Protein backbone atom coordinates (compact mmCIF):
# COMPACT_ATOMS: atom_id res chain seq x y z
CA UNK A 1 0.00 0.00 0.00
CA UNK A 2 1.39 3.41 -0.96
CA UNK A 3 1.18 5.93 1.89
CA UNK A 4 1.81 9.69 1.73
CA UNK A 5 3.27 11.62 4.65
CA UNK A 6 2.54 15.33 4.99
CA UNK A 7 4.33 17.93 7.13
CA UNK A 8 1.92 20.88 6.99
CA UNK A 9 3.55 24.21 7.83
CA UNK A 10 2.73 27.88 7.66
CA UNK A 11 5.11 28.50 4.74
CA UNK A 12 5.69 25.07 3.21
CA UNK A 13 4.15 21.61 2.99
CA UNK A 14 6.61 18.74 2.95
CA UNK A 15 5.52 15.55 1.21
CA UNK A 16 6.97 12.06 1.54
CA UNK A 17 5.96 8.77 -0.01
CA UNK A 18 6.30 5.17 1.05
CA UNK A 19 7.59 2.44 -1.19
CA UNK A 20 4.88 0.20 -2.69
CA UNK A 21 5.21 -2.27 0.19
CA UNK A 22 4.54 0.43 2.80
CA UNK A 23 7.87 -0.22 4.49
CA UNK A 24 10.20 2.68 3.72
CA UNK A 25 9.47 6.42 3.61
CA UNK A 26 11.34 8.80 1.28
CA UNK A 27 11.11 12.58 0.87
CA UNK A 28 9.25 13.47 -2.32
CA UNK A 29 8.78 17.23 -2.66
CA UNK A 30 7.88 20.44 -0.90
CA UNK A 31 5.05 22.77 -1.87
CA UNK A 32 5.31 26.46 -1.03
CA UNK A 33 2.30 28.07 0.59
CA UNK A 34 1.41 31.58 -0.47
CA UNK A 35 0.37 34.03 2.21
CA UNK A 36 -3.35 34.71 2.22
CA UNK A 37 -4.10 31.82 -0.13
CA UNK A 38 -5.95 28.59 0.58
CA UNK A 39 -3.93 25.55 1.65
CA UNK A 40 -2.64 23.53 -1.34
CA UNK A 41 -5.22 20.74 -1.05
CA UNK A 42 -5.63 20.40 -4.83
CA UNK A 43 -1.87 20.27 -5.44
CA UNK A 44 -1.45 17.56 -2.80
CA UNK A 45 -4.39 15.73 -4.37
CA UNK A 46 -2.65 15.76 -7.74
CA UNK A 47 0.49 14.25 -6.16
CA UNK A 48 -1.60 11.59 -4.41
CA UNK A 49 -3.41 10.71 -7.65
CA UNK A 50 -0.17 10.60 -9.64
CA UNK A 51 1.54 8.34 -7.07
CA UNK A 52 -1.38 6.00 -6.40
CA UNK A 53 -1.62 6.90 -2.71
CA UNK A 54 -4.04 4.83 -0.63
CA UNK A 55 -3.57 6.43 2.81
CA UNK A 56 -2.41 9.82 4.11
CA UNK A 57 -0.48 10.49 7.32
CA UNK A 58 -0.45 14.06 8.58
CA UNK A 59 1.89 15.35 11.27
CA UNK A 60 0.13 16.92 14.26
CA UNK A 61 2.26 19.64 15.93
CA UNK A 62 1.60 18.90 19.58
CA UNK A 63 3.23 20.87 22.37
CA UNK A 64 6.22 19.22 24.03
CA UNK A 65 3.95 18.16 26.90
CA UNK A 66 1.62 16.41 24.42
CA UNK A 67 -1.22 18.93 24.52
CA UNK A 68 -2.84 20.45 21.45
CA UNK A 69 -2.59 24.12 20.56
CA UNK A 70 -4.30 26.52 18.13
CA UNK A 71 -2.04 25.40 15.27
CA UNK A 72 -3.23 21.80 15.83
CA UNK A 73 -6.80 22.94 15.14
CA UNK A 74 -5.74 24.44 11.81
CA UNK A 75 -3.81 21.28 10.91
CA UNK A 76 -6.82 19.12 11.82
CA UNK A 77 -9.08 21.33 9.65
CA UNK A 78 -6.63 21.04 6.76
CA UNK A 79 -6.46 17.27 7.25
CA UNK A 80 -10.23 16.93 7.16
CA UNK A 81 -10.39 18.96 3.93
CA UNK A 82 -7.60 16.90 2.41
CA UNK A 83 -9.19 13.57 3.37
CA UNK A 84 -12.52 14.71 1.92
CA UNK A 85 -10.86 15.84 -1.34
CA UNK A 86 -8.87 12.63 -1.72
CA UNK A 87 -11.53 10.28 -0.35
CA UNK A 88 -8.75 8.41 1.45
CA UNK A 89 -8.18 7.36 5.04
CA UNK A 90 -6.21 9.90 7.08
CA UNK A 91 -4.15 9.34 10.21
CA UNK A 92 -2.77 12.11 12.40
CA UNK A 93 0.57 11.33 14.03
CA UNK A 94 2.62 13.21 16.62
CA UNK A 95 5.24 15.24 14.78
CA UNK A 96 7.09 16.73 17.75
CA UNK A 97 10.74 17.30 16.86
CA UNK A 98 10.34 15.81 13.36
CA UNK A 99 12.30 18.68 11.77
CA UNK A 100 15.14 18.20 14.25
CA UNK A 101 15.23 14.45 13.50
CA UNK A 102 15.11 15.23 9.76
CA UNK A 103 18.11 17.55 10.03
CA UNK A 104 19.98 14.91 12.06
CA UNK A 105 19.18 12.27 9.44
CA UNK A 106 20.35 14.58 6.67
CA UNK A 107 23.59 15.22 8.57
CA UNK A 108 24.10 11.47 9.12
CA UNK A 109 23.50 10.84 5.41
CA UNK A 110 26.29 13.27 4.55
CA UNK A 111 24.13 16.15 3.30
CA UNK A 112 26.02 19.40 2.95
CA UNK A 113 25.41 22.29 5.31
CA UNK A 114 23.76 24.17 2.41
CA UNK A 115 21.33 21.29 1.88
CA UNK A 116 20.50 21.20 5.60
CA UNK A 117 19.76 24.93 5.47
CA UNK A 118 17.33 24.45 2.58
CA UNK A 119 14.02 24.55 4.47
CA UNK A 120 12.20 22.88 1.58
CA UNK A 121 14.48 19.85 1.76
CA UNK A 122 14.16 19.77 5.55
CA UNK A 123 10.35 19.90 5.29
CA UNK A 124 10.15 16.97 2.87
CA UNK A 125 12.63 15.07 5.07
CA UNK A 126 10.43 15.88 8.10
CA UNK A 127 7.44 14.45 6.19
CA UNK A 128 9.51 11.29 5.67
CA UNK A 129 10.27 11.13 9.42
CA UNK A 130 6.55 11.48 10.19
CA UNK A 131 5.65 8.84 7.62
CA UNK A 132 8.36 6.43 8.76
CA UNK A 133 7.09 6.70 12.36
CA UNK A 134 3.66 5.66 11.12
CA UNK A 135 5.02 2.82 8.97
CA UNK A 136 7.14 1.49 11.82
CA UNK A 137 4.13 1.57 14.13
CA UNK A 138 1.98 -0.26 11.58
CA UNK A 139 4.60 -2.98 11.17
CA UNK A 140 4.40 -3.71 14.89
CA UNK A 141 0.63 -4.32 14.77
Amino acid sequence: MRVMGVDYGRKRVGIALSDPTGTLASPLETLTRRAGKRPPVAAIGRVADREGVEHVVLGLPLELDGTENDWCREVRDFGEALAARLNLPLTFIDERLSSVRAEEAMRAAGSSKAMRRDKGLVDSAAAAVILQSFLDGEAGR
Side-chain angles (χ1 to χ4, degrees):
M1 170 171 66
R2 208 109 216 220
V3 184
M4 174 188 281
V6 179
D7 180 28
Y8 182 73
R10 288 181 173 89
K11 294 183 180 183
R12 288 170 302 279
V13 179
I15 300 175
L17 195 63
S18 76
D19 66 328
T21 67
T23 305
L24 183 64
S26 298
L28 183 64
E29 64 184 90
T30 302
L31 303 173
T32 302
R33 293 190 59 198
R34 296 184 308 182
K37 300 292 181 182
R38 286 188 217 158
V41 172
I44 296 169
R46 287 189 294 276
V47 172
D49 290 343
R50 179 185 75 218
E51 300 294 341
V53 170
E54 299 174 52
H55 191 109
V56 178
V57 176
L58 180 58
L60 191 62
L62 301 171
E63 297 288 344
L64 289 178
D65 66 2
T67 60
E68 292 199 17
N69 54 38
D70 291 340
W71 180 238
C72 288
R73 180 73 258 158
E74 185 170 333
V75 171
R76 284 190 182 279
D77 290 345
F78 165 76
E80 290 169 11
L82 183 63
R85 158 61 171 83
L86 299 177
N87 195 30
L88 292 174
L90 170 73
T91 301
F92 290 99
I93 189 166
D94 181 357
E95 73 162 30
R96 286 178 285 182
L97 304 176
S98 61
S99 293
V100 171
R101 290 192 315 241
E103 289 176 10
E104 289 171 354
M106 290 174 73
R107 184 177 294 109
S111 297
S112 69
K113 189 179 267 188
M115 288 178 74
R116 293 190 312 266
R117 286 187 186 145
D118 182 330
K119 296 299 184 190
L121 290 176
V122 172
D123 289 337
S124 63
V129 167
I130 291 164
L131 178 54
Q132 192 65 55
S133 294
F134 171 79
L135 297 173
D136 292 346
E138 287 293 297
R141 292 183 189 168

CSV table of all heavy atoms in Angstrom, one decimal, residues 39-92:
chain,number,residue,atom,x,y,z
A,39,PRO,N,-4.9,26.6,1.6
A,39,PRO,CA,-3.9,25.5,1.6
A,39,PRO,C,-3.9,24.8,0.3
A,39,PRO,O,-4.9,24.7,-0.4
A,39,PRO,CB,-4.4,24.7,2.8
A,39,PRO,CG,-5.3,25.6,3.6
A,39,PRO,CD,-5.9,26.5,2.7
A,40,PRO,N,-2.8,24.2,0.0
A,40,PRO,CA,-2.6,23.5,-1.3
A,40,PRO,C,-3.3,22.1,-1.4
A,40,PRO,O,-2.6,21.2,-1.8
A,40,PRO,CB,-1.1,23.5,-1.5
A,40,PRO,CG,-0.6,23.4,-0.1
A,40,PRO,CD,-1.5,24.2,0.7
A,41,VAL,N,-4.5,22.0,-1.1
A,41,VAL,CA,-5.2,20.7,-1.0
A,41,VAL,C,-5.2,20.1,-2.5
A,41,VAL,O,-4.9,18.9,-2.6
A,41,VAL,CB,-6.6,20.9,-0.5
A,41,VAL,CG1,-7.4,19.6,-0.7
A,41,VAL,CG2,-6.6,21.3,1.0
A,42,ALA,N,-5.6,20.9,-3.5
A,42,ALA,CA,-5.6,20.4,-4.8
A,42,ALA,C,-4.3,19.9,-5.3
A,42,ALA,O,-4.2,18.9,-6.0
A,42,ALA,CB,-6.2,21.5,-5.8
A,43,ALA,N,-3.2,20.7,-5.0
A,43,ALA,CA,-1.9,20.3,-5.4
A,43,ALA,C,-1.5,19.0,-4.8
A,43,ALA,O,-0.9,18.1,-5.4
A,43,ALA,CB,-0.9,21.4,-5.1
A,44,ILE,N,-1.8,18.8,-3.5
A,44,ILE,CA,-1.4,17.6,-2.8
A,44,ILE,C,-2.3,16.4,-3.4
A,44,ILE,O,-1.8,15.3,-3.6
A,44,ILE,CB,-1.7,17.7,-1.3
A,44,ILE,CG1,-0.7,18.7,-0.7
A,44,ILE,CG2,-1.5,16.4,-0.6
A,44,ILE,CD1,-1.0,19.2,0.7
A,45,GLY,N,-3.5,16.7,-3.7
A,45,GLY,CA,-4.4,15.7,-4.4
A,45,GLY,C,-3.8,15.2,-5.7
A,45,GLY,O,-3.9,14.0,-6.0
A,46,ARG,N,-3.2,16.2,-6.5
A,46,ARG,CA,-2.6,15.8,-7.7
A,46,ARG,C,-1.5,14.8,-7.5
A,46,ARG,O,-1.3,13.8,-8.2
A,46,ARG,CB,-2.2,17.0,-8.6
A,46,ARG,CG,-3.4,17.7,-9.1
A,46,ARG,CD,-3.0,18.8,-10.1
A,46,ARG,NE,-2.2,19.9,-9.5
A,46,ARG,CZ,-2.8,20.9,-8.9
A,46,ARG,NH1,-4.1,21.0,-8.9
A,46,ARG,NH2,-2.1,21.9,-8.4
A,47,VAL,N,-0.7,15.1,-6.5
A,47,VAL,CA,0.5,14.2,-6.2
A,47,VAL,C,0.0,12.9,-5.7
A,47,VAL,O,0.5,11.8,-6.2
A,47,VAL,CB,1.4,14.9,-5.1
A,47,VAL,CG1,2.4,13.9,-4.6
A,47,VAL,CG2,2.0,16.2,-5.5
A,48,ALA,N,-1.0,12.9,-4.9
A,48,ALA,CA,-1.6,11.6,-4.4
A,48,ALA,C,-2.2,10.8,-5.6
A,48,ALA,O,-1.9,9.6,-5.6
A,48,ALA,CB,-2.7,11.9,-3.4
A,49,ASP,N,-2.9,11.4,-6.5
A,49,ASP,CA,-3.4,10.7,-7.7
A,49,ASP,C,-2.3,10.1,-8.5
A,49,ASP,O,-2.3,9.0,-8.9
A,49,ASP,CB,-4.3,11.6,-8.5
A,49,ASP,CG,-5.6,12.0,-7.8
A,49,ASP,OD1,-6.0,11.3,-6.8
A,49,ASP,OD2,-6.2,13.0,-8.2
A,50,ARG,N,-1.3,11.0,-8.8
A,50,ARG,CA,-0.2,10.6,-9.6
A,50,ARG,C,0.6,9.4,-9.1
A,50,ARG,O,1.0,8.5,-9.8
A,50,ARG,CB,0.8,11.8,-9.8
A,50,ARG,CG,2.0,11.5,-10.6
A,50,ARG,CD,3.0,12.7,-10.7
A,50,ARG,NE,3.7,12.8,-9.4
A,50,ARG,CZ,4.0,13.9,-8.8
A,50,ARG,NH1,3.6,15.1,-9.3
A,50,ARG,NH2,4.7,13.9,-7.7
A,51,GLU,N,0.7,9.4,-7.7
A,51,GLU,CA,1.5,8.3,-7.1
A,51,GLU,C,0.7,7.1,-6.6
A,51,GLU,O,1.3,6.2,-6.1
A,51,GLU,CB,2.3,9.0,-5.9
A,51,GLU,CG,3.2,10.1,-6.3
A,51,GLU,CD,4.4,9.7,-7.1
A,51,GLU,OE1,4.7,8.5,-7.2
A,51,GLU,OE2,5.0,10.5,-7.8
A,52,GLY,N,-0.6,7.1,-6.8
A,52,GLY,CA,-1.4,6.0,-6.4
A,52,GLY,C,-1.5,5.8,-4.9
A,52,GLY,O,-1.5,4.7,-4.4
A,53,VAL,N,-1.6,6.9,-4.2
A,53,VAL,CA,-1.6,6.9,-2.7
A,53,VAL,C,-2.9,6.3,-2.2
A,53,VAL,O,-4.0,6.6,-2.8
A,53,VAL,CB,-1.4,8.3,-2.2
A,53,VAL,CG1,-1.7,8.4,-0.7
A,53,VAL,CG2,0.0,8.8,-2.5
A,54,GLU,N,-2.9,5.5,-1.2
A,54,GLU,CA,-4.0,4.8,-0.6
A,54,GLU,C,-4.3,5.3,0.8
A,54,GLU,O,-5.4,4.9,1.3
A,54,GLU,CB,-3.9,3.3,-0.7
A,54,GLU,CG,-3.7,2.8,-2.1
A,54,GLU,CD,-3.4,1.3,-2.0
A,54,GLU,OE1,-4.1,0.5,-1.4
A,54,GLU,OE2,-2.4,0.9,-2.7
A,55,HIS,N,-3.4,6.0,1.4
A,55,HIS,CA,-3.6,6.4,2.8
A,55,HIS,C,-2.7,7.7,3.0
A,55,HIS,O,-1.6,7.8,2.4
A,55,HIS,CB,-3.1,5.3,3.8
A,55,HIS,CG,-3.5,5.5,5.2
A,55,HIS,ND1,-4.4,4.8,5.8
A,55,HIS,CD2,-3.0,6.4,6.1
A,55,HIS,CE1,-4.5,5.2,7.1
A,55,HIS,NE2,-3.7,6.2,7.3
A,56,VAL,N,-3.2,8.6,3.8
A,56,VAL,CA,-2.4,9.8,4.1
A,56,VAL,C,-2.1,9.9,5.6
A,56,VAL,O,-3.0,9.6,6.4
A,56,VAL,CB,-3.2,11.1,3.7
A,56,VAL,CG1,-2.4,12.3,4.0
A,56,VAL,CG2,-3.5,11.0,2.2
A,57,VAL,N,-0.9,10.3,5.9
A,57,VAL,CA,-0.5,10.5,7.3
A,57,VAL,C,-0.1,12.0,7.4
A,57,VAL,O,0.7,12.4,6.7
A,57,VAL,CB,0.7,9.6,7.7
A,57,VAL,CG1,1.2,9.9,9.1
A,57,VAL,CG2,0.3,8.1,7.5
A,58,LEU,N,-0.7,12.6,8.4
A,58,LEU,CA,-0.4,14.1,8.6
A,58,LEU,C,0.1,14.3,10.0
A,58,LEU,O,-0.4,13.8,11.0
A,58,LEU,CB,-1.8,14.8,8.4
A,58,LEU,CG,-1.8,16.3,8.5
A,58,LEU,CD1,-0.8,17.0,7.5
A,58,LEU,CD2,-3.2,16.9,8.4
A,59,GLY,N,1.3,15.0,10.0
A,59,GLY,CA,1.9,15.3,11.3
A,59,GLY,C,1.0,16.3,12.1
A,59,GLY,O,0.6,17.3,11.5
A,60,LEU,N,0.9,16.1,13.4
A,60,LEU,CA,0.1,16.9,14.3
A,60,LEU,C,1.1,17.6,15.2
A,60,LEU,O,1.8,16.9,16.0
A,60,LEU,CB,-0.9,16.1,15.0
A,60,LEU,CG,-1.9,16.9,15.8
A,60,LEU,CD1,-2.8,17.8,14.9
A,60,LEU,CD2,-2.8,16.0,16.6
A,61,PRO,N,1.2,18.9,15.2
A,61,PRO,CA,2.3,19.6,15.9
A,61,PRO,C,1.9,19.9,17.4
A,61,PRO,O,1.6,21.0,17.8
A,61,PRO,CB,2.4,21.0,15.2
A,61,PRO,CG,1.0,21.2,14.7
A,61,PRO,CD,0.5,19.8,14.3
A,62,LEU,N,1.9,18.8,18.2
A,62,LEU,CA,1.6,18.9,19.6
A,62,LEU,C,2.7,19.7,20.3
A,62,LEU,O,3.8,19.8,19.9
A,62,LEU,CB,1.5,17.5,20.2
A,62,LEU,CG,0.5,16.6,19.6
A,62,LEU,CD1,0.7,15.1,20.1
A,62,LEU,CD2,-0.9,17.1,19.8
A,63,GLU,N,2.3,20.2,21.5
A,63,GLU,CA,3.2,20.9,22.4
A,63,GLU,C,4.2,19.8,22.9
A,63,GLU,O,3.8,18.6,22.9
A,63,GLU,CB,2.5,21.6,23.5
A,63,GLU,CG,1.6,22.7,23.1
A,63,GLU,CD,2.4,23.9,22.6
A,63,GLU,OE1,3.6,24.1,22.9
A,63,GLU,OE2,1.7,24.8,22.0
A,64,LEU,N,5.3,20.2,23.5
A,64,LEU,CA,6.2,19.2,24.0
A,64,LEU,C,5.6,18.4,25.1
A,64,LEU,O,6.0,17.2,25.3
A,64,LEU,CB,7.5,19.9,24.5
A,64,LEU,CG,8.4,20.5,23.4
A,64,LEU,CD1,9.6,21.2,24.1
A,64,LEU,CD2,8.9,19.4,22.5
A,65,ASP,N,4.6,18.9,25.8
A,65,ASP,CA,3.9,18.2,26.9
A,65,ASP,C,2.8,17.3,26.4
A,65,ASP,O,2.1,16.6,27.1
A,65,ASP,CB,3.4,19.1,28.0
A,65,ASP,CG,2.3,20.0,27.6
A,65,ASP,OD1,1.9,19.9,26.4
A,65,ASP,OD2,1.9,20.8,28.4
A,66,GLY,N,2.6,17.3,25.0
A,66,GLY,CA,1.6,16.4,24.4
A,66,GLY,C,0.3,17.0,24.2
A,66,GLY,O,-0.6,16.4,23.7
A,67,THR,N,0.1,18.3,24.7
A,67,THR,CA,-1.2,18.9,24.5
A,67,THR,C,-1.3,19.6,23.1
A,67,THR,O,-0.3,19.8,22.5
A,67,THR,CB,-1.4,20.0,25.6
A,67,THR,OG1,-0.4,21.0,25.5
A,67,THR,CG2,-1.4,19.4,27.0
A,68,GLU,N,-2.6,19.8,22.7
A,68,GLU,CA,-2.8,20.4,21.4
A,68,GLU,C,-2.9,22.0,21.6
A,68,GLU,O,-3.2,22.5,22.7
A,68,GLU,CB,-4.1,19.9,20.8
A,68,GLU,CG,-4.1,18.5,20.4
A,68,GLU,CD,-5.1,18.1,19.4
A,68,GLU,OE1,-5.7,19.0,18.8
A,68,GLU,OE2,-5.3,16.9,19.3
A,69,ASN,N,-2.6,22.7,20.6
A,69,ASN,CA,-2.6,24.1,20.6
A,69,ASN,C,-3.4,24.6,19.4
A,69,ASN,O,-4.1,23.8,18.7
A,69,ASN,CB,-1.1,24.6,20.5
A,69,ASN,CG,-0.4,24.0,19.3
A,69,ASN,OD1,-1.0,23.9,18.2
A,69,ASN,ND2,0.9,23.7,19.4
A,70,ASP,N,-3.5,25.9,19.2
A,70,ASP,CA,-4.3,26.5,18.1
A,70,ASP,C,-3.9,26.0,16.7
A,70,ASP,O,-4.7,25.8,15.9
A,70,ASP,CB,-4.3,28.0,18.2
A,70,ASP,CG,-5.0,28.6,19.4
A,70,ASP,OD1,-5.8,27.9,20.0
A,70,ASP,OD2,-4.7,29.8,19.7
A,71,TRP,N,-2.6,25.9,16.6
A,71,TRP,CA,-2.0,25.4,15.3
A,71,TRP,C,-2.5,24.0,15.0
A,71,TRP,O,-2.8,23.6,13.8
A,71,TRP,CB,-0.5,25.5,15.2
A,71,TRP,CG,0.1,25.0,13.9
A,71,TRP,CD1,1.0,24.1,13.8
A,71,TRP,CD2,-0.2,25.6,12.6
A,71,TRP,NE1,1.3,23.9,12.4
A,71,TRP,CE2,0.6,24.8,11.7
A,71,TRP,CE3,-1.0,26.6,12.1
A,71,TRP,CZ2,0.6,25.1,10.4
A,71,TRP,CZ3,-1.0,26.8,10.8
A,71,TRP,CH2,-0.2,26.1,9.9
A,72,CYS,N,-2.7,23.2,16.0
A,72,CYS,CA,-3.2,21.8,15.8
A,72,CYS,C,-4.6,21.9,15.2
A,72,CYS,O,-5.0,21.0,14.4
A,72,CYS,CB,-3.3,21.0,17.2
A,72,CYS,SG,-1.6,20.5,17.8
A,73,ARG,N,-5.4,22.8,15.7
A,73,ARG,CA,-6.8,22.9,15.1
A,73,ARG,C,-6.8,23.2,13.6
A,73,ARG,O,-7.5,22.7,12.9
A,73,ARG,CB,-7.6,24.1,15.9
A,73,ARG,CG,-9.0,24.3,15.4
A,73,ARG,CD,-9.9,23.1,15.9
A,73,ARG,NE,-10.2,22.2,14.7
A,73,ARG,CZ,-10.6,21.0,14.8
A,73,ARG,NH1,-10.8,20.4,16.0
A,73,ARG,NH2,-10.7,20.2,13.8
A,74,GLU,N,-5.9,24.1,13.2
A,74,GLU,CA,-5.7,24.4,11.8
A,74,GLU,C,-5.3,23.2,11.0
A,74,GLU,O,-5.8,22.9,9.9
A,74,GLU,CB,-4.8,25.6,11.6
A,74,GLU,CG,-4.7,26.0,10.1
A,74,GLU,CD,-4.0,27.3,9.9
A,74,GLU,OE1,-3.9,28.2,10.8
A,74,GLU,OE2,-3.5,27.5,8.8
A,75,VAL,N,-4.3,22.5,11.6
A,75,VAL,CA,-3.8,21.3,10.9
A,75,VAL,C,-4.9,20.2,10.8
A,75,VAL,O,-5.1,19.6,9.8
A,75,VAL,CB,-2.6,20.7,11.6
A,75,VAL,CG1,-2.2,19.4,11.1
A,75,VAL,CG2,-1.4,21.7,11.5
A,76,ARG,N,-5.7,20.1,11.9
A,76,ARG,CA,-6.8,19.1,11.8
A,76,ARG,C,-7.8,19.5,10.8
A,76,ARG,O,-8.4,18.7,10.0
A,76,ARG,CB,-7.5,19.0,13.2
A,76,ARG,CG,-6.7,18.2,14.2
A,76,ARG,CD,-7.5,17.9,15.4
A,76,ARG,NE,-6.7,17.1,16.4
A,76,ARG,CZ,-6.6,15.8,16.3
A,76,ARG,NH1,-7.1,15.1,15.4
A,76,ARG,NH2,-5.9,15.2,17.3
A,77,ASP,N,-8.1,20.8,10.7
A,77,ASP,CA,-9.1,21.3,9.7
A,77,ASP,C,-8.5,21.0,8.2
A,77,ASP,O,-9.3,20.6,7.4
A,77,ASP,CB,-9.4,22.8,9.8
A,77,ASP,CG,-10.2,23.1,11.1
A,77,ASP,OD1,-10.8,22.2,11.7
A,77,ASP,OD2,-10.2,24.3,11.5
A,78,PHE,N,-7.3,21.3,8.0
A,78,PHE,CA,-6.6,21.0,6.8
A,78,PHE,C,-6.7,19.5,6.5
A,78,PHE,O,-7.0,19.1,5.3
A,78,PHE,CB,-5.2,21.5,6.8
A,78,PHE,CG,-4.4,20.9,5.7
A,78,PHE,CD1,-4.5,21.4,4.4
A,78,PHE,CD2,-3.5,19.9,5.9
A,78,PHE,CE1,-3.7,20.9,3.3
A,78,PHE,CE2,-2.7,19.3,4.9
A,78,PHE,CZ,-2.9,19.8,3.6
A,79,GLY,N,-6.4,18.7,7.4
A,79,GLY,CA,-6.5,17.3,7.3
A,79,GLY,C,-7.8,16.8,6.9
A,79,GLY,O,-8.0,15.9,6.0
A,80,GLU,N,-8.9,17.3,7.5
A,80,GLU,CA,-10.2,16.9,7.2
A,80,GLU,C,-10.6,17.3,5.7
A,80,GLU,O,-11.2,16.5,5.0
A,80,GLU,CB,-11.2,17.5,8.2
A,80,GLU,CG,-11.1,16.9,9.5
A,80,GLU,CD,-11.8,17.7,10.6
A,80,GLU,OE1,-12.6,18.6,10.3
A,80,GLU,OE2,-11.6,17.4,11.8
A,81,ALA,N,-10.1,18.5,5.3
A,81,ALA,CA,-10.4,19.0,3.9
A,81,ALA,C,-9.6,18.1,2.9
A,81,ALA,O,-10.2,17.7,1.9
A,81,ALA,CB,-10.0,20.4,3.8
A,82,LEU,N,-8.4,17.7,3.3
A,82,LEU,CA,-7.6,16.9,2.4
A,82,LEU,C,-8.2,15.5,2.3
A,82,LEU,O,-8.3,15.0,1.2
A,82,LEU,CB,-6.2,16.8,3.0
A,82,LEU,CG,-5.2,16.0,2.1
A,82,LEU,CD1,-5.0,16.7,0.7
A,82,LEU,CD2,-3.8,15.9,2.8
A,83,ALA,N,-8.6,14.9,3.4
A,83,ALA,CA,-9.2,13.6,3.4
A,83,ALA,C,-10.5,13.6,2.6
A,83,ALA,O,-10.7,12.6,1.8
A,83,ALA,CB,-9.4,13.1,4.8
A,84,ALA,N,-11.3,14.6,2.7
A,84,ALA,CA,-12.5,14.7,1.9
A,84,ALA,C,-12.2,14.8,0.4
A,84,ALA,O,-12.9,14.2,-0.4
A,84,ALA,CB,-13.4,15.9,2.4
A,85,ARG,N,-11.2,15.6,0.1
A,85,ARG,CA,-10.9,15.8,-1.3
A,85,ARG,C,-10.3,14.5,-2.0
A,85,ARG,O,-10.7,14.2,-3.1
A,85,ARG,CB,-9.8,17.0,-1.4
A,85,ARG,CG,-8.9,17.0,-2.7
A,85,ARG,CD,-9.7,17.2,-4.0
A,85,ARG,NE,-8.8,17.4,-5.1
A,85,ARG,CZ,-8.2,16.5,-5.8
A,85,ARG,NH1,-8.3,15.2,-5.5
A,85,ARG,NH2,-7.5,16.8,-6.9
A,86,LEU,N,-9.5,13.8,-1.2
A,86,LEU,CA,-8.9,12.6,-1.7
A,86,LEU,C,-9.7,11.4,-1.6
A,86,LEU,O,-9.5,10.4,-2.2
A,86,LEU,CB,-7.5,12.4,-1.0
A,86,LEU,CG,-6.5,13.5,-1.1
A,86,LEU,CD1,-5.3,13.1,-0.3
A,86,LEU,CD2,-6.1,13.7,-2.6
A,87,ASN,N,-10.7,11.5,-0.7
A,87,ASN,CA,-11.5,10.3,-0.4
A,87,ASN,C,-10.6,9.1,0.1
A,87,ASN,O,-10.8,8.0,-0.4
A,87,ASN,CB,-12.4,9.9,-1.5
A,87,ASN,CG,-13.5,9.0,-1.1
A,87,ASN,OD1,-14.0,9.0,0.0
A,87,ASN,ND2,-14.0,8.1,-2.0
A,88,LEU,N,-9.7,9.4,0.9
A,88,LEU,CA,-8.7,8.4,1.5
A,88,LEU,C,-8.7,8.4,3.0
A,88,LEU,O,-9.0,9.5,3.6
A,88,LEU,CB,-7.3,8.7,0.9
A,88,LEU,CG,-7.1,8.5,-0.5
A,88,LEU,CD1,-5.6,9.0,-0.9
A,88,LEU,CD2,-7.2,7.1,-1.0
A,89,PRO,N,-8.3,7.3,3.6
A,89,PRO,CA,-8.2,7.4,5.0
A,89,PRO,C,-7.0,8.3,5.4
A,89,PRO,O,-6.0,8.4,4.7
A,89,PRO,CB,-7.9,5.9,5.4
A,89,PRO,CG,-7.6,5.2,4.2
A,89,PRO,CD,-8.1,6.0,3.0
A,90,LEU,N,-7.2,9.0,6.6
A,90,LEU,CA,-6.2,9.9,7.1
A,90,LEU,C,-5.9,9.5,8.5
A,90,LEU,O,-6.8,9.3,9.3
A,90,LEU,CB,-6.8,11.3,7.0
A,90,LEU,CG,-6.0,12.4,7.7
A,90,LEU,CD1,-4.7,12.8,6.9
A,90,LEU,CD2,-6.8,13.7,7.9
A,91,THR,N,-4.6,9.6,8.8
A,91,THR,CA,-4.2,9.3,10.2
A,91,THR,C,-3.3,10.5,10.6
A,91,THR,O,-2.4,10.9,9.9
A,91,THR,CB,-3.3,8.0,10.3
A,91,THR,OG1,-4.1,6.9,9.9
A,91,THR,CG2,-2.8,7.8,11.7
A,92,PHE,N,-3.6,11.1,11.8
A,92,PHE,CA,-2.8,12.1,12.4
A,92,PHE,C,-1.7,11.4,13.3
A,92,PHE,O,-2.0,10.4,14.0
A,92,PHE,CB,-3.6,13.1,13.3
A,92,PHE,CG,-4.5,13.9,12.5
A,92,PHE,CD1,-5.9,13.6,12.4
A,92,PHE,CD2,-4.1,15.1,11.9
A,92,PHE,CE1,-6.7,14.4,11.7
A,92,PHE,CE2,-4.9,15.9,11.2
A,92,PHE,CZ,-6.2,15.6,11.1
